Structures are given as C-alpha cells and as structure tokens.
C-alpha cells in the first residue's frame, strides 16, 4: 500500500513494516479507503437528503492512510465543497466521521470484496465501489444519511427555515423601497411633462420632481430611505423573533421625460432569536444595483431593477460563512386620477437566489445553505394631495412561487398607510408603515422614512 495516497500499491516494505504485506493489513488498507468512500457519500447525500430517491449516485474524492493495523484515517472534499475527516480501526470495523465540522458520528465499515464495501451510519447503509485511486461511487440502499444526528436535525432545519424567512424579508424590503421610489417619480414625470389627463392636474406641484407641470425640468435626483422591521415566525418548523434594517441611497437621471436611469446602494441586516438553537442568527452586508423606468404614456410605465448583495451569515453553534445574493424584478405601473384622488396600480414579479461563496460549505449541519425566492405581486395606492401634503393608502397582494421553507404560507396581503410632504420645490420627504397580513405564522411590520432632493 502506498502510504502517501492510502491506495493499493506495489511498494516493498522494510523488515520493520512487514504488517503492510499481511492479510490483516490488506484489510486495513481497504478499510481506510472504505471510510473515505463512506464519508464522501454521507456528505454528498446530505445535499438532497429529503428529495433524492434510494439508488441515486454521488461521487467525491479523498485520501487515507494507515499508521498501524489498528489506526487508519481519511479526509477529503466533496464536489459540493464539503470537507470531511475520519478515524477508523480496521480490527474492529468501527470508527467516527466528522462532516462540515459538525459533531462526530459513528460509522461501521464491512468489506465485501477487494473493491466493494458497505458503510453504515445509524439505520442507513451505502453500497460503495472504488472506481479509481481518488474517485468513489456509492448507492444508498436504505435509510437516510445526514451529517447531523437526529437530535440535531430539527435545529438545523429551523436555521434553514429562518434563513429563508429573513432573506425573503430583506429582498422584499429592499425592492419595495426602490420600486416605490421609481413608481412615484415616474408618475410625477408623466404629470410634469404636461400630459396629465385632466386640467385639474396641470398646475399640481410634483411631489418628487420638485416642479409644477410645464416648468423647467430638474433632471437629477438623489434620495435616501431608512427602514426598520419587526420579524417573527410562529411555525413549529422555523420559529424566530427579531428585527430587520435596510438603509438605502440612490441617484437617478430623467432623460427626456421618457426614461429614468438610476443606481442604488446600501446596507441590510436581520438579527433574530431562534429558540431551537437557544441562540440567534445574523445576516448582514452591502447591496447595490441599477434600475430603470420607461414612461410609455401619462397612464403607463414599466420598470426593471437588479440588485447584488454580499452577505455575512452566522448562527449560534454553526460555522459562519459568506454568501452572494442576486435579485431582479420587473413591474408594469398604471396611473389614473379620479376627482381629487391619485390612483396607482401595478403588477410584477421578483426573483432572488442566494448561494454560499465557493469557500463556504454547501451544507451547514446537513442543511443546504442556498436560498431561492420568487413571488408575483399585484397592488396599488390611493393618494389624496392636499397642497404640500399627500396622504396615501398602499395595498399589495403577493403569492410566493417558490416553496416556503419556514413553515409560512405562500400568500400575503400587505396593507399600510403613508404620507409625503413637499418642503420646498426641490426637497420632498415621506413616511410609511406597512404590515404583512394573512400569511400564516408570519409577522413583518415595517416602518420607513425617505427624503429626495432634485437638482
């Protein structure tokens, strides 16, 4: 056996190391490889522990060596980026494994031929085959294998569910802020262009452009928005309670009263307590991205926006890691005025995906760290301008198209109230409070304030 690789070899042993040629040591050599195989399979199978049917295959690579007839070790990395290590006693056929730095689990290896073996962990078994010096294939033939013990799994599932719930809250908060700014300003561009549909609106001052209809255009604008939220989940899957913050600023340019080009950036944070781990989970980081709007007519506009976030993730009892989140949204907006009311409607779709960095594990305690979130939104706003003051009522109905992992429902109705105020022709501000209603087991109450300067 070649001790540098842990694989079968032809090297002659010295007199002091003749156990390498013995039958027992041959079993030790194969056992070391078997441990590596089992570890790789366990780590890889954990990626789809809830959805992969029995008999599916997975591969990975690793190496092992034996320092005596009773002591072997193996380590490696799976194709998903998980690390593993193990120690094994070939004389007893037992050992321990550690996957993704979680608690060690017992493992039993049984040799069935020179290149095949059975690895057992709890009630689960794997049929394994050595296919080359560093690649292995294992078929799961019974039970379910995870890198966390059965007592640990509910806590890991709670962390995963909480991650999806708080990530969804971050995405919604960020995109609601930006789309609200785009929608309001796009409406004001249409009115200020002198194409309002009623004479009643022709002299109305614009709350966001800083001008009355027909006056000289102010093409540039800069804005800032600060929001805080109370977040809670009462489901048995991912119970948590905490808060969220979103601080955003942006700048945009009005081109010919038809196009609005902008860029935003800021900071986002969620910090929640999770009873299942008797601790907390924190996710925070920077985010930025472009947005644009096209004003098709006094009654219709469309907008697109993209956002990238670089996030740090940590939870009590689990290793910290970084993640990248990519999110995009598109909306069609409708404007109309009835009497003294300014009515706005919209419909759109939002999608976000968050993946750990290549240096981070694909699993934490046997639970995937990737997050997907998608939702269809339909809503509107009814505003009533009174001189420089404009109170309004927003309403949004949302349906999540991805499968919620936090025990909450797919549908939600978001209701609230807000007001805008024009301090001068170039400085406008506003406040808003919204609350998620009708989403089972979920609480998300958001308060926000904003300020815009046109120049």
């Amino acid at each position: 056996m070649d001790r540098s690789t842990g694989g079968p070899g032809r090297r002659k042993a010295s007199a002091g190391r003749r156990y390498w040629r013995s039958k027992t040591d041959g079993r030790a050599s194969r056992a070391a490889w078997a441990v590596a195989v089992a570890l790789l399979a366990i780590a890889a199978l954990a990626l789809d522990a809830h959805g992969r049917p029995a008999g599916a295959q997975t591969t990975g690579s690793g190496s092992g060596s034996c320092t005596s007839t009773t002591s072997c070790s193996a380590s490696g990395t799976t194709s998903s980026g998980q690390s593993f290590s193990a120690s094994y006693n070939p004389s007893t056929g037992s050992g321990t494994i550690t996957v993704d730095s979680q608690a060690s689990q017992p493992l039993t290896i049984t040799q069935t031929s020179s290149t095949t073996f059975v690895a057992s962990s709890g009630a689960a078994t794997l049929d394994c085959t050595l296919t080359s010096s560093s690649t292995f294939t294992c078929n799961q033939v019974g039970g379910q294998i995870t890198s966390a013990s059965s007592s640990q799994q509910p806590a890991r599932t709670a962390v995963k569910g909480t991650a999806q719930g708080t990530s969804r809250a971050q995405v919604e908060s960020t995109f609601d802020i930006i789309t609200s700014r785009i929608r309001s300003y796009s409406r004001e561009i249409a009115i200020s262009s002198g194409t309002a549909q009623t004479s009643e609106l022709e002299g109305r001052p614009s709350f966001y452009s800083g001008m009355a209809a027909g006056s000289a255009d102010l093409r540039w604008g800069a804005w800032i928005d600060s929001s805080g939220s109370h977040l809670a989940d009462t489901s048995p899957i991912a119970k948590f309670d905490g808060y969220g913050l979103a601080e955003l600023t942006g700048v945009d340019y009005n081109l010919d009263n038809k196009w609005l080009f902008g860029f935003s950036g800021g900071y986002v944070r969620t910090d929640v307590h999770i009873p299942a781990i008797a601790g907390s989970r924190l996710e925070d980081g920077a985010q930025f991205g472009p947005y644009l709007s096209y004003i098709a007519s006094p009654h219709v506009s469309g907008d697109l926006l993209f956002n990238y976030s670089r996030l740090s993730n940590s939870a009590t009892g689990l290793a910290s890691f970084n993640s990248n989140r990519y999110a995009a949204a598109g909306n069609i907006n409708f404007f109309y005025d009835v009497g003294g009311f300014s009515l706005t409607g919209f419909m759109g779709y939002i999608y976000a995906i968050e993946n750990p960095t290549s240096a981070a594990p694909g699993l934490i305690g046997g639970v995937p760290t990737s997050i997907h979130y998608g939702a269809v939104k339909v809503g509107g706003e009814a505003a009533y301008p009174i001189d420089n003051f404009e109170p309004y009522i927003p309403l949004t109905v949302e349906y999540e198209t991805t499968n919620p992992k936090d025990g909450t429902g797919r549908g939600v109705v978001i209701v609230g109230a807000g007001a805008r105020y024009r301090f001068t022709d170039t400085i406008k501000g506003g406040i808003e409070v919204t609350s998620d209603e009708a989403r089972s087991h979920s609480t998300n109450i958001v308060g926000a304030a904003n300020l815009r300067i046109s120049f």
Side-chain angles (χ1 to χ4, degrees), residues 59 115 129-137:
T59 61
T115 59
T129 303
L130 174 66
T131 58
S132 73
S133 61
S134 62
T135 304
F136 312 89
T137 299

Side-chain angles (χ1 to χ4, degrees), residues 22-61:
S22 68
K23 181 177 180 180
T24 300
D25 297 327
R27 289 195 297 268
S29 172
R30 292 190 295 269
W33 281 111
V35 171
V37 173
L39 288 168
L40 290 164
I42 289 170
L45 283 171
L47 286 169
D48 293 315
H50 296 290
R52 179 177 293 175
Q57 289 190 332
T58 183
T59 61
S61 63

Side-chain angles (χ1 to χ4, degrees), residues 176-192 205-211 223 225 252 260 291 293 295 298 301 303 333-335 342-346 381 383 390 392 394 419-420 428-430 432 450 452:
D176 285 350
I177 289 172
I178 300 174
T179 55
S180 179
R181 302 284 75 74
I182 296 173
R183 192 174 299 121
S184 296
Y185 193 34
S186 295
R187 178 186 178 92
E188 297 303 326
I189 291 175
I191 293 175
S192 299
S206 169
F207 278 85
Y208 283 87
S209 62
M211 55 197 171
W223 56 267
D225 193 297
D252 45 47
L260 179 69
Y291 59 87
S293 174
I295 296 85
S301 74
D303 57 71
N333 311 294
F334 307 94
F335 312 125
S342 296
L343 305 180
T344 302
F346 68 88
E381 170 191 299
E390 185 182 58
Y392 64 93
R420 305 181 184 100
K428 324 296 180 230
E432 181 181 276
N450 62 79
R452 179 181 176 90

Side-chain angles (χ1 to χ4, degrees), residues 37-39 41-43 45-46 49 52-55 93 97 105-110 117-128 138-150:
V37 173
L39 288 168
I42 289 170
L45 283 171
R52 179 177 293 175
I97 68 170
Q105 304 296 319
L107 186 70
T108 301
I109 304 295
T110 303
F117 20 78
V118 173
S120 303
S121 178
T125 60
L126 297 170
D127 278 343
C128 303
C138 289
N139 295 327
Q140 186 176 1
V141 295
Q144 176 175 298
I145 297 179
T146 64
S147 59
S149 65
S150 58

Side-chain angles (χ1 to χ4, degrees), residues 277-346:
I277 62 173
S280 61
R281 183 182 189 277
L282 170 66
E283 182 175 26
D284 69 329
Q287 57 183 0
F288 57 86
Y291 59 87
L292 67 87
S293 174
Y294 177 70
I295 296 85
S297 75
H299 304 290
V300 180
S301 74
D303 57 71
L304 295 172
L305 56 157
F306 173 81
N307 188 266
Y308 167 75
S309 304
R310 175 71 173 194
L311 302 163
S312 173
N313 299 262
S314 62
T316 302
L318 296 175
S320 300
F321 65 95
N322 294 324
S323 61
N324 298 309
R325 182 165 64 214
Y326 306 90
N331 300 278
I332 299 177
N333 311 294
F334 307 94
F335 312 125
Y336 206 81
D337 293 86
V338 177
F341 288 92
S342 296
L343 305 180
T344 302
F346 68 88

Side-chain angles (χ1 to χ4, degrees), residues 68-227:
S68 71
T69 58
T70 59
S71 179
C72 296
S73 63
S75 63
T77 305
T78 70
S79 59
S80 64
Q82 292 177 276
S83 61
F84 67 82
S85 61
S87 59
Y88 176 73
N89 185 339
S91 299
T92 61
S94 63
T96 59
I97 68 170
T98 301
V99 180
D100 269 348
S101 301
Q102 301 303 315
S104 297
Q105 304 296 319
L107 186 70
T108 301
I109 304 295
T110 303
Q111 190 77 30
T112 54
S113 74
S114 61
T115 59
T116 61
F117 20 78
V118 173
S120 303
S121 178
T125 60
L126 297 170
D127 278 343
C128 303
T129 303
L130 174 66
T131 58
S132 73
S133 61
S134 62
T135 304
F136 312 89
T137 299
C138 289
N139 295 327
Q140 186 176 1
V141 295
Q144 176 175 298
I145 297 179
T146 64
S147 59
S149 65
S150 58
S151 61
Q152 292 173 315
Q153 200 60 29
R156 309 309 183 200
T157 302
V159 172
K160 168 63 177 178
T162 299
Q164 201 222 24
T166 56
S167 182
R168 177 181 62 214
Q170 288 186 359
V171 172
E172 288 183 344
S173 177
T174 297
F175 277 68
D176 285 350
I177 289 172
I178 300 174
T179 55
S180 179
R181 302 284 75 74
I182 296 173
R183 192 174 299 121
S184 296
Y185 193 34
S186 295
R187 178 186 178 92
E188 297 303 326
I189 291 175
I191 293 175
S192 299
S193 66
T195 56
Q197 68 271 24
T198 65
S199 58
E200 177 184 356
L201 300 178
E202 291 178 357
R204 178 184 296 176
S206 169
F207 278 85
Y208 283 87
S209 62
M211 55 197 171
S215 67
D217 292 345
L218 299 176
R219 297 296 182 180
W220 288 93
W223 56 267
I224 185 171
D225 193 297
S226 179
S227 69

